[in-house]
Amino acid sequence: MTGQPEALADAGAILTVERLTVRFGGLLAVSDLSFDARTGEILSIIGPNGAGKTTVFNCITGFQRPTGGRVVFRGRSVTALRPDLIVARGIARTFQLIRLFPGLEVIENVMIGLHARTRAGTVDAVLHTPAHRREEAWVREEAHRWLAFVGLEGRARHLARTLAYGDQRRVEVARAMAAGPRLLVLDEPASGMNPAEKDDLARLVAEIRSLGVTVLLVEHDMGVVMGVSDRVIVLNYGTQIAEGAPEEVQRNPAVVEAYLGQEDDA
């Protein structure tokens, strides 16, 4: 485990999910779910397919309106806010399926993540005022900085579609970090990666936490989850069945039956 559990035990909650419930017609996807993400930790949410993990992420990041309950970030409710407003408050995310602009350059994809941090208005852009030029230069500099952080500065001028799958995942992480989050939400970031890329991802997640960013992770690869997480929450059929340190969760019979026993790599 990579964290410092004693320090985290005393850390306050940066995110609180209270009695979250989501229904899709007659289907109960998430049922009365409550948990906290502590400031500075790497918290993973795992569970079999259909357990409700991505639905929970979508509620936290504004892509799904909950049927009941609420989401509180840094003491303020963000329940059902628009995704752009949630980003502006300090929550950024990646997606289970890559959502880059394939025809744009890599650096342009990362620059999009800085939109929430810019201040120049339409008039400044049209007149190309000094304020707009300064901000434009800053945006490009920041994008280069985050590409360097994920190890892709040398690919800045490449089109996003020309990158290998694992590198496209890194571009998504760079774009999310460029938004200046206090909480980074990663939805299956290791999907499609080879073992070496997964090892690099685990190191990158640890580096992100070292910057003071709390990480909330959904991931199927148990090697990644157990290697980077301070704490793990397990969902099954939209309800929480276990919570604890990775070693505790691995030994939990309910988890083995519901999830880990179904995974070849568990």
Side-chain angles (χ1 to χ4, degrees):
M1 193 170 72
T2 62
Q4 300 85 25
E6 293 181 3
L8 291 174
D10 296 329
I14 191 171
L15 177 80
T16 301
V17 173
E18 297 178 350
R19 307 195 66 176
L20 190 71
T21 299
V22 181
R23 292 182 181 273
F24 298 110
L27 173 66
L28 185 61
V30 180
S31 177
D32 202 34
L33 176 67
S34 297
F35 68 89
D36 291 333
R38 301 166 189 160
T39 301
E41 77 172 333
I42 300 172
L43 172 65
S44 290
I45 300 178
I46 67 172
N49 289 330
K53 307 180 297 295
T54 294
T55 300
V56 172
F57 269 29
N58 286 341
C59 289
I60 292 170
T61 56
F63 288 85
Q64 173 66 49
R65 182 180 293 271
T67 307
R70 68 176 189 150
V71 179
V72 177
F73 177 64
R74 300 179 68 195
R76 299 173 63 187
S77 175
V78 295
T79 312
L81 286 182
R82 295 198 319 262
D84 61 310
L85 297 178
I86 290 177
V87 170
R89 298 239 180 138
I91 301 177
R93 72 170 294 175
T94 65
F95 294 87
Q96 187 174 351
L97 299 176
I98 291 175
R99 295 191 183 184
L100 297 178
F101 294 92
L104 295 182
E105 292 180 350
V106 167
I107 192 166
E108 291 172 327
N109 273 275
V110 178
M111 288 167 68
I112 290 169
L114 285 146
H115 174 73
R117 299 173 62 190
T118 57
R119 295 291 178 264
T122 303
V123 173
D124 291 303
V126 170
L127 298 179
H128 204 51
T129 63
H132 178 260
R133 292 196 297 272
R134 285 193 300 271
E135 189 166 78
E136 195 174 49
W138 172 80
V139 165
R140 188 167 291 274
E141 181 181 338
E142 278 289 287
H144 275 293
R145 183 166 76 90
W146 289 112
L147 281 176
F149 179 77
V150 302
L152 290 175
E153 188 174 22
R155 307 288 186 87
R157 300 304 301 272
H158 292 217
L159 295 182
R161 65 168 171 257
T162 67
L163 266 58
Y165 188 85
D167 286 343
Q168 290 187 29
R169 288 276 183 195
R170 285 176 170 271
V171 175
E172 278 209 315
V173 172
R175 182 175 63 187
M177 289 299 295
R182 301 289 293 272
L183 172 67
L184 179 64
V185 179
L186 300 174
D187 194 351
E188 297 195 27
S191 175
M193 288 185 171
N194 62 41
E197 289 172 332
K198 290 176 182 179
D199 288 343
D200 288 342
L201 173 69
R203 286 191 289 269
L204 179 61
V205 171
E207 288 173 12
I208 289 169
R209 190 263 291 280
S210 74
L211 298 177
V213 177
T214 303
V215 179
L216 184 58
L217 174 71
V218 159
E219 182 52 63
H220 276 296
D221 188 285
M222 289 299 99
V224 172
V225 169
M226 299 303 167
V228 304
S229 304
D230 298 302
R231 193 162 50 100
V232 179
I233 291 172
V234 188
L235 302 184
N236 196 25
Y237 297 110
T239 62
Q240 181 176 315
I241 63 170
E243 175 185 344
E247 298 84 356
E248 297 170 359
V249 168
Q250 281 183 307
R251 294 192 298 265
N252 189 306
V255 175
V256 173
E257 180 180 356
Y259 181 66
L260 295 182
Q262 300 180 19
E263 294 290 334
D264 292 338
D265 61 356

